[in-house]
């Protein structure tokens, strides 16, 4: 499990997630994604079973236009509600706490090369509905104190 550590020099919390080292190499993966046949991509239609179980899908039946799955290599992991204040580690002056949270992937389109500017208005609407739906679901989770949505 990851953990949050307080950097006493910058007075900021940082996330340490050693488990993410197990994920495929980013640079070679990016290069492969451009040249990889669709049959080997877990985010492509027809390969939904290769990704983690869906948290959201639009439409709910038939061919999908947008999907949301948990990240296989999360920075934060779901867990019990943690106390808001950290406790000193065995070193005495350092503070840390469990890295509890959610890390999801929004697959915005069946086409990886799709860009918002070139998507149909219906596809953009479906994508934004997915973002909103997941935000609302996490917002109602008592353990969620901060929700950050970002796009790579």
């Amino acid at each position: 499990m990851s953990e949050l550590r307080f950097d006493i020099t910058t007075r900021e919390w940082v996330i340490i997630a050693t488990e993410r080292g197990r994920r495929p190499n980013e640079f070679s993966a990016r290069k492969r994604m451009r040249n990889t046949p669709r049959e080997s991509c877990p985010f492509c239609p027809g390969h939904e079973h290769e990704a983690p179980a869906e948290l959201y899908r639009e439409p709910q039946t038939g061919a999908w236009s947008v999907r949301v799955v948990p990240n296989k290599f999360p920075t934060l992991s779901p867990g019990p509600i943690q106390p808001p204040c950290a406790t000193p580690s065995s070193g005495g002056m350092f503070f840390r706490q469990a890295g509890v949270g959610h890390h999801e992937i929004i697959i915005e389109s069946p086409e990886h090369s799709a860009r918002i500017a070139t998507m149909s208005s219906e596809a953009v609407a479906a994508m934004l509905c997915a973002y909103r739906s997941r935000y609302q679901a996490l917002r109602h989770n008592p353990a969620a104190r901060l929700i950050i949505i970002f796009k790579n």
Side-chain angles (χ1 to χ4, degrees):
M1 168 167 284
S2 63
E3 67 181 18
L4 299 169
R5 295 182 187 170
F6 187 72
D7 182 336
I8 60 173
T9 59
T10 63
R11 304 198 52 79
E12 295 178 328
W13 286 94
V14 295
I15 300 173
I16 306 297
T18 56
E19 303 86 19
R20 287 184 54 83
R22 297 179 312 188
R23 65 187 172 156
N25 182 294
E26 279 189 39
F27 299 107
S28 61
R30 247 186 237 143
K31 186 176 180 181
R32 277 195 311 267
M33 284 299 276
R34 284 189 218 114
N35 302 318
T36 301
R38 294 175 63 102
E39 61 269 3
S40 61
C41 177
F43 300 133
C44 283
H47 293 270
E48 292 83 0
H49 63 281
E50 295 174 28
E54 292 175 347
L55 300 170
Y56 179 92
R57 178 188 185 114
E58 184 62 40
Q60 293 190 11
T61 59
W64 57 271
S65 61
V66 62
R67 298 173 61 225
V68 180
V69 297
N71 193 315
K72 270 183 154 177
F73 306 99
T75 301
L76 301 170
S77 301
I81 296 174
Q82 299 294 309
C85 59
T87 56
S89 67
S90 59
M93 64 186 256
F94 301 105
F95 292 89
R96 65 181 173 192
Q97 66 185 55
V100 175
H102 296 269
H103 189 171
E104 302 174 355
I105 297 172
I106 296 181
I107 307 164
E108 299 175 340
S109 167
E111 292 294 325
H112 297 312
S113 60
R115 302 287 179 252
I116 292 175
T118 60
M119 294 168 69
S120 70
S121 57
E122 293 83 9
V124 173
M127 177 188 68
L128 293 175
C129 283
Y131 277 100
R132 183 171 191 258
S133 174
R134 293 310 304 151
Y135 184 93
Q136 294 294 344
L138 293 171
R139 189 181 111 198
H140 294 299
N141 180 337
R145 299 186 57 163
L146 174 67
I147 300 170
I148 299 173
I149 297 174
F150 75 94
K151 180 175 171 62
N152 283 349

